[in-house]
Amino acid sequence: MFSVSIPVLLAFLAFFGWGIADVVGIFLFRKNSPATLVFYSGIFRMVIWIFFMPFFVQDFGKITFIPLVFNLVAGLSSGLGYVFYGKATRYTNPTIVAALGGGWGAMALVYSLFLFKENITTNQWVAIMFVCLGLILNLFKKEWVKEVFTNEGKGLFYSVCTLLLWGLCGATLKIPALAYGWYWTSLIMLLPYLALIFIDMRSNKEPISFRIHHLFIFIAMVVLIILGDLGYNSGFTFGGSVAIIGTIGGSYAVLTTALSYIVYKEPLTNQQKLGVGISLI
C-alpha cells in the first residue's frame, strides 16, 4: 500500500503544481514580456536543480553528443512554447489557450511516430483525433478567414504554435532521459531558456526588458513549477509507472483550463466550449 500511495501523491503534486502555475502564469504573461518570464524562470529553476547535483554527479559522464542535441532541442521547444503560450493569453481566451496547449501529449505521439517509428495504440489514436477535433472547432468559424488577422486570430495561431512546440519537447525528451536520466535532462533542458530573451529582442527589434512586474507572484509560480517537476520526476523514482504518473500528472491541463475559466471569467461561445471539452477528453 505504501509503495503505491507515494507515486500517486507525487503525481498529484505535479497535477496541482503545474496546473496552478499555468493559471498564475496567465496573469503574469499579461503584465510582462513572455520571453523575460521564461528567461528568469530558467535561471531560478536551474539554481534549484543545482542543489540536487551531488546526488546525480555520477551520471554526468553518460552525457554524449546525440542525446545532448535532442535535449537542447527539447529545451528550446519548451521555452519557445512558453513564450507563445504567454503571447496567446494576451490575444484570446486563456481557457482556449490552456486546453489547446494541454494537448501536447497527443502531439508528442505524432512526433514519436514520424521521428522514432514508435507504434501508436488504438486508444492513443483516439486521443489524437479528439485533440485535433477540439483544435478544429476552436480554429474554424463562419468568419474565420476575416478573423485570421485579428487579435483572436493571433492568439489562436500562438496557441497552435504552443501545441506543436510542447509536443516536440515531449517527444524528444525521451532520448536524453534514457541516456543519462531525468536529472541532467531537466537541468540541460533549461539552458535554451536563457537565450530566448535575446531571440525575442531581435525578432521584435525592441530593447530587452529585464524587469518583472509582480515579482512575488512570479516567485510563487516558479515554486509551483518546481514542485510539479519534482512530483513528476520523483514519482518514477518511487516506483510509479507511466500509466499512473503520466496520466495523473500529465492531465494538469484539465485543472488549468477549469481554473482559467473560473478565475478570468472570459466568455466562450458554445462552439468554443465544445472544442475545449473535446480537447480535454
Side-chain angles (χ1 to χ4, degrees):
M1 183 66 179
F2 180 80
S3 61
V4 174
S5 61
I6 294 298
V8 171
L9 289 174
L10 291 170
F12 273 108
L13 180 62
F15 176 83
F16 286 105
W18 287 341
I20 298 173
D22 278 358
V23 177
V24 176
I26 291 169
F27 170 78
L28 290 169
F29 281 129
R30 289 177 167 183
K31 303 292 183 180
N32 297 272
S33 162
T36 301
L37 289 181
V38 172
F39 173 78
Y40 280 115
S41 170
I43 290 178
F44 282 130
R45 289 162 67 187
M46 285 179 67
V47 169
I48 298 299
W49 284 124
I50 287 172
F51 282 106
F52 292 89
M53 189 177 293
F55 299 101
F56 301 94
V57 69
Q58 70 276 4
D59 295 326
F60 181 78
K62 298 179 182 178
I63 300 175
T64 54
F65 179 72
I66 297 299
L68 178 63
V69 170
F70 276 101
N71 206 161
L72 294 173
V73 169
L76 184 61
S77 302
S78 173
L80 277 175
Y82 270 114
V83 171
F84 284 123
Y85 180 89
K87 291 184 177 184
T89 61
R90 291 181 167 190
Y91 292 112
T92 194
N93 193 306
T95 305
I96 297 175
V97 180
L100 294 183
W104 64 265
M107 190 55 57
L109 294 172
V110 177
Y111 283 118
S112 296
L113 173 66
F114 289 102
L115 293 177
F116 309 119
K117 308 300 180 183
E118 293 187 1
N119 293 322
I120 297 180
T121 67
T122 301
N123 287 343
Q124 290 171 333
W125 276 117
V126 171
I128 292 169
M129 288 190 293
F130 267 72
V131 170
C132 291
L133 179 57
L135 181 65
I136 291 170
L137 285 171
N138 278 295
L139 284 180
F140 296 105
K141 294 177 287 186
K142 186 176 181 180
E143 301 290 330
W144 76 273
V145 175
K146 297 179 181 179
E147 294 179 358
V148 167
F149 301 104
T150 64
N151 282 343
E152 184 177 359
K154 291 179 182 178
L156 292 172
F157 170 75
Y158 289 136
S159 297
V160 174
C161 290
T162 301
L163 173 67
L164 296 176
L165 287 165
W166 281 354
L168 181 60
C169 173
T172 52
L173 271 181
K174 173 183 177 180
I175 303 300
L178 290 175
Y180 43 80
W182 67 264
Y183 172 78
W184 288 105
T185 299
S186 300
L187 183 60
I188 293 171
M189 187 183 79
L190 296 172
L191 292 176
Y193 279 42
L194 308 185
L196 290 176
I197 190 172
F198 302 102
I199 295 174
D200 191 61
M201 177 202 68
R202 290 182 64 86
S203 62
N204 293 325
K205 298 180 180 180
E206 295 178 358
I208 299 175
S209 173
F210 286 99
R211 182 182 177 185
I212 294 181
H213 300 281
H214 306 284
L215 178 61
F216 290 107
I217 297 177
F218 170 75
I219 293 173
M221 182 192 74
V222 173
V223 169
L224 287 167
I225 293 174
I226 292 171
L227 289 175
D229 292 344
L230 286 173
Y232 193 86
N233 295 329
S234 60
F236 294 109
T237 304
F238 281 91
S241 65
V242 174
I244 294 174
I245 308 299
T247 301
I248 298 174
S251 60
Y252 70 93
V254 176
L255 178 62
T256 301
T257 304
L259 290 178
S260 298
Y261 185 73
I262 294 170
V263 172
Y264 296 102
K265 296 181 173 61
E266 298 181 16
L268 295 168
T269 65
N270 289 332
Q271 181 174 326
Q272 288 172 330
K273 289 179 181 177
L274 181 61
V276 167
I278 289 176
S279 295
L280 292 179
I281 290 173

